[in-house]
Amino acid sequence: MTKTELYNILTDNGWTIKKGIDDCAYKQLPDRQIQVIPGIKKLIDKYQIIMMPSVSTKDFSILVEYIHENKKPRTIVHSGIVRNNQQSIYTQNLTREVVENYLQEIEIWAQEQDIEAGLLKYSAIPFDTKGIYPLYHLSALAITGQTAKLKEYLQNFKQGDRMTFSNYIKQDYIERALETAEAHR
């Protein structure tokens, strides 16, 4: 099975492919969005179907983009709230049916995830975490309407205290998060 054939199976099952640095596929459900990063690897005696699934909401993903870029996204964005620990499966026979069954498992997993618990987890993580997580932290605070914490962060930033936030987090990020949180109250 080629990557093109894999992509065709995804699109036949309602997924949208986004080509880029890391090709992704998205499926929008009524209240959540699933993302996979599809791939196939031939091993010595079997195949590995790689998907790396995560689930989010369109609102959270757009908010992350807004806080970070101060603009509305022009393309599909996905900022994972919950990631699946099962990143891939292994099979002796790589068939359309095997891939479609795996996609069904991913969709069932995604529907079982507690989005609110994932957002609360992000809102509770330390603000001095590394990578994308400080941005997710601010976004989770905003979407859950936690204005008091954001006001505290903003006050500290205005006084020159960055509170050990990652260097890329700027005062305007917190301002946009607070603006959104106040709208979600």
Side-chain angles (χ1 to χ4, degrees), residues 78-97:
H78 182 88
S79 299
I81 295 173
V82 181
R83 300 189 190 293
N84 191 328
N85 292 331
Q86 182 179 346
Q87 299 292 304
S88 59
I89 62 167
Y90 299 88
T91 183
Q92 302 288 357
N93 300 313
L94 184 55
T95 64
R96 180 180 193 91
E97 182 180 9

Side-chain angles (χ1 to χ4, degrees), residues 35-154:
Q35 173 186 281
V36 295
I37 302 173
I40 302 169
K41 190 183 278 187
K42 171 73 172 117
L43 305 174
I44 294 171
D45 59 345
K46 58 190 163 198
Y47 293 92
Q48 180 182 17
I49 304 171
I50 304 157
M51 290 291 176
M52 299 178 9
S54 64
V55 66
S56 188
T57 67
K58 194 173 189 178
D59 289 344
F60 181 74
S61 298
I62 289 170
L63 178 59
V64 169
E65 194 82 359
Y66 171 67
I67 290 172
H68 184 236
E69 303 277 338
N70 191 21
K71 63 182 178 185
K72 300 285 185 215
R74 291 173 289 199
T75 60
I76 299 171
V77 294
H78 182 88
S79 299
I81 295 173
V82 181
R83 300 189 190 293
N84 191 328
N85 292 331
Q86 182 179 346
Q87 299 292 304
S88 59
I89 62 167
Y90 299 88
T91 183
Q92 302 288 357
N93 300 313
L94 184 55
T95 64
R96 180 180 193 91
E97 182 180 9
V98 169
V99 173
E100 287 178 338
N101 287 340
Y102 186 30
L103 291 173
Q104 284 180 329
E105 288 175 25
I106 290 169
E107 198 167 325
I108 291 167
W109 166 83
Q111 291 172 334
E112 292 172 344
Q113 299 314 298
D114 186 342
I115 299 290
E116 292 301 316
L119 290 171
L120 291 175
K121 181 179 174 184
Y122 277 154
S123 67
I125 62 174
F127 51 78
D128 62 351
T129 56
K130 303 295 181 215
I132 195 76
Y133 295 107
L135 179 58
Y136 284 6
H137 172 68
L138 293 175
S139 300
L141 292 174
I143 207 163
T144 57
Q146 297 184 45
T147 57
K149 191 174 276 192
L150 289 165
K151 285 179 181 178
E152 177 187 333
Y153 291 172
L154 183 56

Side-chain angles (χ1 to χ4, degrees), residues 8-25:
N8 288 337
I9 293 170
L10 284 157
T11 55
D12 289 349
N13 284 273
W15 293 77
T16 301
I17 306 294
K18 179 183 174 197
K19 301 245 182 198
I21 296 170
D22 289 323
D23 292 349
C24 302

Side-chain angles (χ1 to χ4, degrees), residues 67 138-139 142 150 172-182:
I67 290 172
L138 293 175
S139 300
L150 289 165
D172 63 322
Y173 287 30
I174 298 169
E175 290 168 349
R176 286 190 291 275
L178 179 57
E179 165 198 319
T180 304
E182 288 173 337

